[in-house]
Amino acid sequence: MHVLLVIAHGSRRCESNNEIRQFVKNIAQHGRNAFDSTRVAFLELAEPSIETAVDECVHDGASQITVVPYFLSAGYHVARDVPEILAAKQTQYAKVPINTKAYIGRSAEMIDLVIDAALD
Amino acid sequence: MHVLLVIAHGSRRCESNNEIRQFVKNIAQHGRNAFDSTRVAFLELAEPSIETAVDECVHDGASQITVVPYFLSAGYHVARDVPEILAAKQTQYAKVPINTKAYIGRSAEMIDLVIDAALD
């Protein structure tokens, strides 16, 4: 089972976390999504934590986990915190490859999204 | 002069703020960008602040400011902090309309960007 894990920052504002949870549900249901399961995790302030989400993936039978950090720039969260947590989990679950992709702010299409938003 | 102002969170990590500054420069130079000027501001932890950026826009002759909040979800920053700062600036500069667009996380294309990142 190949799991896509989308990691967001998490917010003190409940609606914001629910917005991210719904967003990840929409990703799960998208026609181009070929992952067996698509899940959400939060770095802080919301559940599930990254640790809990990875534990659940493995418990549910994940053979491989692909991570997309849902962050716009490489602050300390992207550059240090998320990689450290995932590295510890990779050590714990050595047989389940955890493959972290570029954070979303690196997407070449992001410029177009800003211009689209500005012109909308 | 119609200014596009991209507002980001700001980071304790200098490279992250420079990344955002370069990103906004790339937006400024993009062929689809018809704004007379494209500028960056940070909510916190980096310069220019939103207040300073708006002051500079008006000082430089802006007749209209379009704002795109470069945030992924509607936490308190998007729901409260940024609107409060901009409302105060709108009161100060009543003759320069400040028009805030949807934050970038509302873009319908964001799902595709996550899937693209996951499959890359």
Side-chain angles (χ1 to χ4, degrees):
Chain A
M1 182 176 79
H2 191 168
V3 178
L4 170 58
L5 183 63
V6 179
I7 298 178
H9 184 283
S11 172
R12 287 184 178 80
R13 189 166 183 260
C14 184
E15 298 93 322
S16 169
N17 299 321
N18 286 336
E19 176 188 358
I20 295 290
R21 291 184 182 103
Q22 184 59 53
F23 174 70
V24 174
K25 279 185 189 171
N26 293 345
I27 294 171
Q29 294 165 0
H30 193 281
R32 290 178 54 229
N33 183 345
F35 291 86
D36 301 306
S37 175
T38 298
R39 303 181 182 201
V40 67
F42 296 95
L43 175 63
E44 58 188 29
L45 301 169
E47 292 295 331
S49 67
I50 302 172
E51 292 90 337
T52 297
V54 172
D55 289 347
E56 289 176 353
C57 287
V58 174
H59 180 267
D60 293 347
S63 55
Q64 191 175 350
I65 301 172
T66 291
V67 172
V68 173
Y70 195 56
F71 290 78
L72 286 171
S73 61
Y76 285 117
H77 294 324
V78 166
R80 185 189 60 195
D81 302 340
V82 170
E84 280 183 5
I85 295 168
L86 290 174
K89 281 293 162 188
Q90 184 63 89
T91 300
Q92 182 179 354
Y93 302 119
K95 292 181 179 172
V96 182
I98 300 174
N99 180 15
T100 304
K101 300 290 185 169
Y103 58 98
I104 199 70
R106 295 297 296 165
S107 298
E109 294 83 2
M110 197 60 85
I111 290 180
D112 278 304
L113 265 61
V114 174
I115 295 175
D116 288 345
L119 298 177
D120 191 41
Chain B
M1 183 175 78
H2 192 168
V3 179
L4 169 59
L5 183 63
V6 179
I7 298 178
H9 185 281
S11 172
R12 286 183 178 81
R13 189 167 182 262
C14 184
E15 298 94 321
S16 170
N17 299 320
N18 286 337
E19 175 188 358
I20 295 290
R21 292 184 182 104
Q22 183 59 52
F23 175 70
V24 174
K25 280 184 188 169
N26 293 345
I27 295 171
Q29 294 164 1
H30 193 279
R32 290 179 53 229
N33 183 346
F35 291 87
D36 301 306
S37 176
T38 298
R39 304 182 182 202
V40 68
F42 295 95
L43 176 63
E44 59 188 29
L45 303 170
E47 293 294 329
S49 67
I50 301 172
E51 293 90 338
T52 297
V54 172
D55 289 347
E56 289 175 353
C57 287
V58 173
H59 180 267
D60 293 346
S63 56
Q64 192 175 349
I65 300 172
T66 291
V67 173
V68 173
Y70 195 56
F71 290 78
L72 286 171
S73 62
Y76 285 117
H77 294 323
V78 166
R80 184 189 62 196
D81 303 338
V82 171
E84 281 183 4
I85 295 168
L86 291 173
K89 282 292 160 187
Q90 184 63 90
T91 301
Q92 181 179 354
Y93 302 120
K95 292 180 180 172
V96 181
I98 300 174
N99 181 15
T100 304
K101 301 290 186 170
Y103 57 99
I104 199 69
R106 294 298 295 166
S107 298
E109 294 82 3
M110 197 59 85
I111 290 179
D112 278 304
L113 265 62
V114 174
I115 295 175
D116 288 345
L119 297 177
D120 192 39

